[in-house]
Structure formats: structure tokens, C-alpha cells
Amino acid sequence: MAMAASPGTAGVGGAGAMPGSGPSSFGFDSGLEIKTRSVEQTLLPLVSQITTLINHKDNTKKSDKTLQAIQRVGQAVNLAVGRFVKVGEAIANENWDLKEEITIACIEAKQAGETIAALTDVSTPRHPESGGQITIFTDKTGVIKAARLLLSSVTKVLLLADRVVIKQIITSRNKVLATMERLEKVNSFQEFVQIFSQFGNEMVEFAHLTGDRQNDLKDEKKKAKMAAARAVLEKCTMMLLTASKTCLRHPNCESAHKNKEGVFDRMKVALDKVIEIVTDCKPNGETDVAAISIFTGIKEFKMNIEALRENLYFQSKENLSATLEAILERTEDFTDSAYTSHEHRERILDLSAHARAELQQLASVWMHAQSKRTKSIAEELELSILKISHGLNELKKELHSTATQLAADLLKYHADHVVLKALKLTGVEGNLEGLAEYACKFSEQKEQLVETCRLLRHVSGTEPLEITCVHAEETFQVTGQQIISAAETLTLHPTSKIAKENLDVFCEAWESQISDMSTLLREINDVFEGKRGEKYGYLSLPKPLKNNGNLKSLKPEKSDSEEKAKIAKLGLKLGLLTSDANCEIEKWENQENEIVRYGRNMSKMAYSVYLFTRGEGPLKTSQDLIHQLEVNFISIFCCYFNSGLNSSRLGRCFREADDKISSYLPDSHVSLFAPPEPRVFLLLSV
């Protein structure tokens, strides 16, 4: 069976030809763009079956057995479409604003499915017998037309159903926003408690919907933006509680009101950002105008100069010079920084000058090559391209070293949070002079971290990490200001327990962001060194969501569907148990303890097994899985049980994980496991 390409390839952003469809130009509706993994995964079985139907040679003789198999495929497609249409009609009945569009698409899908079933029915006279053999699909054009209509209509239904999910998110966001507006105006503790309880429930619902959406998005950049917005909402929810309580307790305190307003403003921005992501639409037609990072600029510049090998007229000399100057201009963020060492600054300036000189040399050879093409000139052009590429790589290394060394030094210097603790102490003591002194020191620390995040963005290497750097920069900027206002409130009311609690919450958020920055720095280094994915598994172990769409399109070997579903569920259960165990590990004071180290290894191995159940990660076959278990699993568990943890919570976590992992090895091993099924209303089982 020929496996069709991902529908994302064929259908995203324009029409695409179906592999094996020959000259018939079998493609999707050019107006349909697939943005979520669940829609893509749902279409894959249908695409595969239809490709099977049309991938045959005309005039090929087939046996009765083969012909009956093809007929069964056609019938299976029709039956699956029938079930799919029923689900689509149910969605239409529940969403009157989309009913007409969904109904029309369902009718088209049903008609196309019936046509395919009729064209593959051996009992009809469409398949004349000849010499004891039957020629199949004499009306191949009809099959291709029906298949095109079927794929287009099914995709329309899926995308319309996806709009229902978007509508749910918008509705949930509007509810949260309306309740926030009521919270802003509340004047009594009793009223505040009642409204905040409602707000909490609405935020939980919104978190579930946006979490599912984040996992389902195909665009990694959008996923990173969604993660950043959701992180803001998660942290700000507790800040909103304490900041509002402080305002109610001290209604005439200006700093308390400033603190509260800052929280509400940031949450509103985050809510708007979520809607921008899910609707793919910015207010007032605005567009992202964020400056390109240095690493991204260098990557694009190198692609342009390397294109000269194939086409000497691909770019003009002026365009290349302007592009390089724009890149080197951004290095001023490093050379102008007060925190960049003299050695790093001089090295960056030297490499920048060297890059300019190499481009001048390249331009000279390039102009010569345009007028006279000889082997020696071609070799000279190649050498010039290699030289400027090497020079830019050296510049990248220097910029990376500058940014990451600065970040590492800052994280180490501020690891004990001396200034933060001093701010708390001055607040409790009501020391206004001390507050002014430490607020100044803390502001300086904040500016250092903000600038470091700005430099890290230039060397992050991927768009998702760039977005995370921007989020970290904004978080330090906003949270730093809020900590100072919270500390001022406490200093003015040193005996206020609520004001102290409020400052503690903001300080915890700051410490959490410092920890996140440490993880971010490690990931940036991993990307630069080509080791992405070798971090501790528990740092990125996804929560077991029922609508997990963060999947890879892989072709599984034949496997019983119930067995695959069971394996998928066990994988998610293992993820939950591993996360539970990691929480216990993190409670140990000595992180270099032998048990803790074994625990990390256990977590990393369990995460690999979890990815294996989804067709991802380094383990590709059952033999890889068995070998991994043999190497690591036995020794790790012996360590846990021999260390007296058998009856502890940690021990229970890993005993349960042991049971789950052992369940992954059925008698009939499977090379690759199919991913979990997407959300129910998008199922199309063929």
C-alpha cells in the first residue's frame, strides 16, 4: 500500500497533488489550510485508503481476491464517511451559525463516499470480464473526481468543527474577562470571595481549553506564544488574589492600587494574545513587527550567498551588503551593553569588520564571474563563499559565548536572592530608607536580566526559544516593577499579613522565572551544540491530556486497534506517574544524592518509553525498547527498593510505573505504535 503524504503537505496553504495520482492533478481545495494536528491525523487514514484505490496501472489484470480487497476498501471508505457525516450533522445541530456550511460539506462527503463505493463495486457492469480476469476501475477519472470531492468536503467539515473549538475558547475568554471586570470593581471581602470563586472555575475551564489547543497546534511558533500567554495567566491568577486582597485591606494605599492594576493589565493582554493565536488575527489589522534575531539573519544571509552557486544573478551586490549591515547593526546590542566584557566586545568588533571585508572580496569575485565563467573563477567564488560563511560562524560562536556566559554568571550571582530577601526584611521592618536603597539595587538587577534575555534571544537558534526569551524579558520587566510596589505597600503597613503575603507571592514568581531562565539557557546551549532533546525528561514531560495533538505523522505497522489504544492510554498514565515521582524527587534537599541521580535517569528512561508509545523519540523498535529496559530499568529499581523506599510514596510511584512499562510488551511486538486518537468529534476511522 502506498502511503499518502501528510495532508498538511497537500492541503496547507494551497492545492497539492496526491502522490500516485498521475497526471490527473488530484489535490485539495486551495482555500483549506490545516493548522492543527488533530485535523491532519484524522485525514491520514482517509488519504491512505483513497491513495490505495487510485494507485494502480490502467489495464492491469487483477485476481478475484485482489479485486474483492479493493472493493472492501471502497466500502470501508463509504462506511467511515457515513459515520463521520453523522458526527458532523450532530455538530451542525448544536451550532446554528455553522449549520448551513457543515450540512453542505456533509452532503458532498456522503455523495462522494457513495460514488467511490459504487465505482469499486465488482457486482456492477463497470468491470467487464476478459479472459477470466477482471479489469478494475475502467472509470478512473470518476474515482479521482469523487476522491477530490471527498477529501475537500471532509476537510471542510473538520475545519468547521475546529471553528467550534475556537468559538469555545473565545466564549470562555469572554466569561473570564467579564468576571475580571467585576473583580476590579469589588468593594467588600465577602463579595470578592464569591466572585473570585467563580473566576477560579472559569480560569480552570479556560486553562483546559487553551492547553488542548496548544498541544494541537502544528505551528511551533504559535505553540510557544500560547505557552507564554498561558504561563502569564497561571502565575497572575495567584497575584490577582493577593493584590486584590491587599487593596481591599488598604484602600487608600496608592502602591497597592498600582500593584493590583499591573496584574489586571497583564492578564488582559495575555487573554487577548490567546485569542490572536487561535483566530490567527490581530486587532485593527496589526502585524508582528519584531526585529529579526542575529542568528536568524545570519542563517538567511548564508542561504542567499550559497544560492550564488546556482544563480549568479540571484541577488544584487547592494542587497547583500544591506542585509549584512543590518545583521552587524544588531550586534551593537552586545557591543553597547555595559555588561559585555572588553574581550568579548573587541572580538565581536573584529569579526564584524572581517565579515565586511570578506563580503567585499566575494562581491569582487562575483562580478568577475558574471562576465567570465571559467573553472578557476568558479573555484575562487566557492572559496569566497566558504570564507564568509566561516567568518559568520565564528561571529555566531562569539555572540553565543558572550550571551550565555553573561546569563550563567548572573544566574549564579543571584542564586541566593540576597536583594529580594533584603526587600522583604525592610518591608517587615517598615524601613523606608532601606526600601529606597534595595529597590534601587533590585531595579539594577532587573535591568541586567532584561538585557541578558534580549541578548539570549539573538542567539537562541529557534523561533520558539526566541519567543520564550521575549516572554522572560517581559516577565522580569513587569514583575520587577510589581515587586517594588508590593514592597512599598508592606513598608507602609509593616504589620499587615496580607501585604506580606502579597509580596511573598510576587517574590516567588520572580524566583520561578529565574529558574525558568536557567532551563532556557540550558536549552539554548543544547540547540547550539546540536544536543536538543538530551535534557532531563521530566523538564518537558507533557501532562496527560485527553486531546493530545502533539504527534508525529508516522506509518505504523499493522497492529490491533484496541491494543494500540490500550498502549496509548498506558503511555499517558506512565507520564502522570513519572511527573508524580519527579515532584517527590525535587523535595530532596541533596540533589546529588545517589537516589536522586537514579531517579533522574528513571524519569528520562520513562519519558523515552512514553515517547515510544506515540511513535516519537529515540526508541524506534520494540527491540530498542527492550534493550533500554535491560540496560537501565533493573538497576534503577533495585536501587530504589534496596534504599528503603519500597513503602514510600516515591516507591509506590515507581512500582506503578513498573507495572505500566511491563504492559508495553505484548506477545506480538510492534515496530511503531500509532499515536492516540484525536478528539472524538474529529474521528474518521476507516
Side-chain angles (χ1 to χ4, degrees):
M1 178 184 294
M3 185 65 180
S6 164
T9 310
V12 175
M18 173 71 68
S21 61
S24 304
S25 189
F26 177 23
F28 285 123
D29 186 323
S30 61
L32 303 179
E33 182 179 0
I34 299 172
K35 300 178 182 179
T36 57
R37 295 179 185 273
S38 57
V39 172
E40 184 177 84
Q41 292 290 323
T42 303
L43 284 171
L44 277 176
L46 180 62
V47 173
S48 177
Q49 297 286 17
I50 290 177
T51 305
T52 301
L53 293 177
I54 65 173
N55 272 356
H56 75 284
K57 295 179 180 179
D58 294 332
N59 304 321
T60 300
K61 303 281 186 176
K62 300 289 183 180
S63 67
D64 288 344
K65 185 176 180 180
T66 302
L67 185 59
Q68 289 170 5
I70 295 297
Q71 181 185 9
R72 285 196 297 272
V73 172
Q75 292 173 344
V77 169
N78 188 35
L79 288 172
V81 170
R83 291 194 294 270
F84 175 80
V85 166
K86 288 182 179 179
V87 177
E89 290 172 345
I91 295 172
N93 290 330
E94 295 173 0
N95 298 271
W96 288 93
D97 54 332
L98 300 174
K99 183 172 183 178
E100 183 178 356
E101 292 179 86
I102 295 177
T103 301
I104 293 173
C106 285
I107 291 173
E108 291 178 352
K110 187 175 181 180
Q111 290 174 346
E114 291 172 350
T115 301
I116 289 175
L119 290 171
T120 57
D121 187 356
V122 293
S123 64
T124 66
R126 288 181 178 274
H127 311 287
E129 296 186 7
S130 176
Q133 297 291 329
I134 299 176
T135 301
I136 63 170
F137 296 159
T138 57
D139 189 8
K140 185 174 181 179
T141 302
V143 175
I144 293 176
K145 286 182 178 179
R148 183 186 295 115
L149 177 61
L150 178 60
L151 287 174
S152 178
S153 56
V154 166
T155 304
K156 285 179 184 176
V157 174
L158 291 172
L159 296 181
L160 288 167
D162 193 56
R163 279 168 58 183
V164 174
V165 178
I166 294 173
K167 187 172 72 172
Q168 290 174 344
I169 293 174
I170 294 173
T171 301
S172 179
R173 173 260 194 180
N174 290 340
K175 287 163 60 178
V176 169
L177 199 56
T179 307
M180 279 179 61
E181 290 176 355
R182 293 174 60 198
L183 281 172
E184 279 189 282
K185 300 173 184 177
V186 74
N187 292 317
S188 70
F189 271 104
Q190 184 177 1
E191 185 183 5
F192 173 79
V193 170
Q194 292 174 347
I195 298 175
F196 191 84
S197 176
Q198 176 186 341
F199 173 75
N201 292 332
E202 291 169 353
M203 280 298 296
V204 168
E205 177 191 1
F206 187 72
H208 282 308
L209 290 172
T210 53
D212 290 348
R213 188 67 179 182
Q214 177 184 325
N215 289 330
D216 201 19
L217 289 169
K218 289 174 59 182
D219 190 323
E220 293 299 323
K221 188 175 178 180
K222 288 183 179 179
K223 289 180 74 169
K225 287 183 177 180
M226 180 72 86
R230 294 180 70 243
V232 169
L233 293 171
E234 179 185 351
K235 291 181 180 179
C236 282
T237 299
M238 181 56 69
M239 295 178 185
L240 184 146
L241 173 62
T242 57
S244 297
K245 286 166 61 180
T246 305
C247 260
L248 289 171
R249 180 57 58 89
H250 308 289
N252 298 321
C253 182
E254 184 179 346
S255 59
H257 282 281
K258 180 181 177 182
N259 189 250
K260 172 187 168 184
E261 289 167 5
V263 177
F264 275 94
D265 289 344
R266 195 164 190 228
M267 290 191 75
K268 289 174 183 177
V269 171
L271 288 168
D272 289 341
K273 179 62 68 177
V274 169
I275 300 306
E276 287 177 19
I277 295 166
V278 298
T279 60
D280 207 15
C281 179
K282 294 180 89 49
N284 304 320
E286 298 173 6
T287 55
D288 284 324
V289 291
I292 191 172
S293 71
I294 295 176
F295 271 30
T296 302
I298 289 176
K299 179 181 178 181
E300 293 178 358
F301 179 79
K302 288 171 66 176
M303 289 173 61
N304 287 336
I305 62 172
E306 288 168 2
L308 296 176
R309 295 186 178 113
E310 305 296 329
N311 183 359
L312 292 173
Y313 303 94
F314 176 74
Q315 284 274 0
S316 68
K317 174 186 173 182
E318 292 74 18
N319 284 345
L320 280 182
S321 296
T323 302
L324 181 62
E325 284 304 317
I327 293 170
L328 298 181
E329 184 179 342
R330 294 186 193 104
T331 63
E332 292 175 4
D333 286 349
F334 290 78
T335 56
D336 291 349
S337 172
Y339 309 112
T340 300
S341 69
H342 177 72
E343 292 77 11
H344 281 303
R345 183 178 293 107
E346 290 299 314
R347 177 72 172 153
I348 292 169
L349 291 172
D350 288 345
L351 289 170
S352 297
H354 180 71
R356 288 190 181 96
E358 290 295 344
L359 180 59
Q360 290 297 323
Q361 176 64 24
L362 172 64
S364 175
V365 177
W366 177 19
M367 294 299 108
H368 194 36
Q370 287 180 341
S371 60
K372 186 178 180 181
R373 299 190 179 187
T374 64
K375 183 178 180 181
S376 61
I377 292 178
E379 290 175 350
E380 192 175 351
L381 178 65
E382 177 67 20
L383 181 60
S384 295
I385 291 173
L386 292 176
K387 280 184 176 180
I388 193 170
S389 294
H390 174 74
L392 290 173
N393 286 338
E394 290 299 309
L395 178 60
K396 285 178 61 178
K397 289 180 182 177
E398 188 63 29
L399 294 173
H400 176 269
S401 174
T402 303
T404 54
Q405 183 177 322
L406 174 60
D409 290 345
L410 269 180
L411 290 171
K412 183 178 180 181
Y413 183 74
H414 297 303
D416 50 6
H417 304 290
V418 172
V419 178
L420 209 59
K421 292 174 181 176
L423 268 178
K424 289 184 182 181
L425 186 59
T426 56
V428 173
E429 293 175 346
N431 183 353
L432 288 173
E433 291 182 1
L435 172 67
E437 176 187 351
Y438 286 108
C440 183
K441 290 182 179 180
F442 184 72
S443 294
E444 183 180 346
Q445 176 184 333
K446 178 199 70 176
E447 291 304 322
Q448 284 182 319
L449 289 166
V450 166
E451 188 160 335
T452 302
C453 290
R454 195 174 298 132
L455 299 184
L456 284 175
R457 174 182 170 270
H458 280 303
V459 303
S460 55
T462 69
E463 283 191 326
L465 286 179
E466 281 187 34
I467 292 165
T468 306
C469 289
V470 172
H471 166 68
E473 178 186 341
E474 293 173 350
T475 300
F476 282 127
Q477 186 71 52
V478 176
T479 308
Q481 295 170 351
Q482 290 175 317
I483 286 175
I484 292 174
S485 62
E488 183 179 343
T489 303
L490 179 59
T491 307
L492 294 172
H493 307 278
T495 59
S496 173
K497 291 183 179 179
I498 289 181
K500 183 178 183 303
E501 178 190 9
N502 185 49
L503 178 57
D504 287 341
V505 166
F506 281 95
C507 289
E508 287 171 8
W510 179 270
E511 292 170 4
S512 173
Q513 189 57 50
I514 292 285
S515 176
D516 290 345
M517 186 176 176
S518 178
T519 302
L520 173 61
L521 177 61
R522 182 163 57 249
E523 292 188 354
I524 289 173
N525 282 327
D526 285 349
V527 169
F528 187 78
E529 296 168 9
K531 299 190 301 183
R532 184 71 185 266
E534 294 185 7
K535 55 191 176 185
Y536 293 147
Y538 65 81
L539 291 176
S540 58
L541 189 65
K543 295 179 181 179
L545 299 170
K546 63 179 180 180
N547 297 334
N548 198 325
N550 186 18
L551 309 169
K552 242 183 198 176
S553 296
L554 294 173
K555 179 181 178 182
E557 294 184 4
K558 292 182 180 179
S559 174
D560 181 76
S561 60
E562 292 184 4
E563 179 181 316
K564 291 190 290 185
K566 177 184 176 183
I567 290 169
K569 291 177 182 178
L570 289 172
L572 294 177
K573 180 65 175 175
L574 177 63
L576 180 61
L577 290 168
T578 309
S579 296
D580 198 7
N582 289 327
C583 291
E584 296 298 313
I585 291 173
E586 290 169 359
K587 293 178 182 177
W588 287 59
E589 293 183 3
N590 182 9
Q591 288 292 304
E592 296 304 317
N593 183 284
E594 182 182 16
I595 295 174
V596 173
R597 285 190 289 105
Y598 275 118
R600 285 206 189 100
N601 290 336
M602 173 65 187
S603 174
K604 188 174 181 180
M605 183 201 68
Y607 183 54
S608 297
V609 176
Y610 171 77
L611 290 178
F612 179 70
T613 67
R614 292 168 46 182
E616 299 179 4
L619 305 179
K620 301 300 182 185
T621 67
S622 297
Q623 191 58 44
D624 292 342
L625 174 63
I626 294 170
H627 177 70
Q628 176 85 341
L629 297 179
E630 288 176 347
V631 171
N632 297 314
F633 199 72
I634 296 176
S635 62
I636 291 172
F637 267 83
C638 286
C639 174
Y640 274 106
F641 290 126
N642 291 338
S643 300
L645 293 171
N646 193 30
S647 60
S648 69
R649 176 176 174 78
L650 187 59
R652 290 198 303 276
C653 288
F654 284 101
R655 283 201 304 280
E656 290 184 52
D658 184 23
D659 294 337
K660 299 303 174 188
I661 291 178
S662 64
S663 303
Y664 293 149
L665 302 174
D667 293 334
S668 55
H669 294 311
V670 186
S671 292
L672 291 174
F673 293 106
E677 295 174 330
R679 56 170 67 92
V680 175
F681 69 81
L682 295 180
L683 284 179
L684 180 62
S685 173
V686 296

